[in-house]
Amino acid sequence: MATDFREKEQEFLDSLGPDTGRDLAAWMATIVQSGLTDRNAIIDFLRRQGFLFSRASWLERIHHNGGRPIYAGEPSPVIDRARLRRPRGHATTPQPREHETPRNTHAATQPPAGSLAPATAVATSTIASANSPETRIALDLVLAEAKAYRPLAQYVLREISAAVPTLIATPAAGYVALSHHALVAVLAISARELRLGLVSPNTTPPPPFGPARFPKSFAPVPAAITHAAVLDDARQVTPELIAAVKAAAGRPA
C-alpha cells in the first residue's frame, strides 16, 4: 500500500493530543504565544518541547500556512511502502549464503534501470541543511528508518556531496538515490546497516564493494545497481570508497 504525505500528516495530527496533551489548535496557540517568527527558531523551540525534527518542521509549516494542514485536499508525493522485501545478502561476500540471492536474479521485480520512485529531489550539498521544508520532511522520513545509523547516513551523504557536488539526491522508499543525468548510486537504509550501491557495469570498484546484494530488510533498489558496500562505521567512509563513487559519476551518461 502506498503511503502519501497527506496520510502521514493526518496520522501525525491525530496523534498530537494523545502523545503531547495538546491538539493542533493548542500547539498553534503555543507558537504564537512564544513570540517567535523566524522559521528555524520556531523549529528549535518545538524540538525543545520534545518533537523530532521532522514533526517540529511539520508544525512550523502548518503555522506558516495559517494553522491549516499542508496536504489536506491536495495531491502529495507518494512513497511506495509496498515493495519492501528483497532476498538477504551481503555486499562483500563473493558467493551468496543460503539466505542470499544475487541482485540480478530479481530484476523482473525491480524498477526499470535508472528509474527513481516519485519524491522530492534536492542537491546533495543541501542535505545537511536543506532550506525546503518539503525536502526536510521527505529526507527525514527516509533517514529515520536508519535509526541509530542515521548520523552515519548523513555523514556518507555529506562526504559524497563534497566530492561530487553535481549529484542530485532523491529520497525514495527505503533509500536515497544519487544521480547526475543518470543514476549513479543509492544509499540503502535499514536499522541494522547501510549499503552504498553503485552503477558500475564496466568496472569493478575496489573493496569494500562487491556484487550488489541486499537483505530482505531493505527496500528494492533500482535494477541498474551493480555493486554494493556494507557500511556500519564511519571509518569505512574512506577516500577509496568516495573515489569509487566519483568514478561511477564520471561514466558517460
Side-chain angles (χ1 to χ4, degrees):
M1 176 180 295
T3 301
D4 65 22
F5 287 132
R6 188 186 310 107
E7 293 173 352
K8 296 293 290 186
E9 182 178 63
Q10 190 58 54
E11 290 173 4
F12 169 48
L13 297 180
D14 290 343
S15 71
L16 275 177
D19 290 350
T20 71
R22 304 182 197 177
D23 61 11
L24 177 62
W27 277 111
M28 294 298 100
T30 298
I31 294 173
V32 172
Q33 292 165 4
S34 74
L36 299 171
T37 57
D38 178 76
R39 306 189 78 151
N40 289 330
I42 291 173
I43 291 171
D44 289 341
F45 167 73
L46 291 170
R47 293 188 71 184
R48 291 195 296 272
Q49 311 309 308
F51 286 99
L52 295 175
F53 177 85
S54 61
R55 301 319 190 206
S57 178
W58 218 317
L59 275 182
E60 182 276 325
R61 291 188 63 214
I62 292 173
H63 170 68
H64 276 85
N65 195 41
R68 297 183 300 274
I70 303 302
Y71 295 107
E74 298 179 2
S76 60
V78 173
I79 292 181
D80 188 354
R81 303 290 182 184
R83 301 173 299 130
L84 296 181
R85 291 291 180 265
R86 289 192 49 78
R88 301 187 68 84
H90 194 289
T92 57
T93 304
Q95 297 298 325
R97 293 192 293 266
E98 182 178 353
H99 63 288
E100 295 177 332
T101 305
R103 175 74 177 80
N104 58 10
T105 63
H106 287 264
T109 63
Q110 303 304 314
S115 67
L116 305 178
T120 302
V122 57
T124 55
S125 58
T126 68
I127 283 178
S129 58
N131 291 323
S132 164
E134 292 89 349
T135 296
R136 289 173 175 173
I137 292 171
L139 284 168
D140 204 61
L141 285 171
V142 176
L143 295 180
E145 297 178 7
K147 299 186 183 300
Y149 286 107
R150 177 175 177 172
L152 176 59
Q154 293 172 319
Y155 174 64
V156 172
L157 292 173
R158 285 198 300 268
E159 291 297 298
I160 291 175
S161 171
V164 195
T166 57
L167 287 179
I168 299 297
T170 304
Y175 64 89
V176 178
L178 304 172
S179 60
H180 178 61
H181 302 305
L183 183 67
V184 172
V186 299
L187 182 62
I189 305 293
S190 86
R192 303 181 69 177
E193 64 188 22
L194 309 176
R195 297 207 179 196
L196 180 62
L198 291 183
V199 179
S200 187
N202 300 321
T203 59
T204 301
F209 289 98
R213 302 187 182 98
F214 294 83
K216 292 181 179 178
S217 57
F218 283 85
V221 300
I225 298 299
T226 60
H227 296 79
V230 176
L231 300 177
D232 55 17
D233 192 305
R235 290 171 292 185
Q236 296 170 293
V237 187
T238 62
E240 291 75 18
L241 182 137
I242 299 300
V245 178
K246 291 177 67 175
R251 74 189 194 285

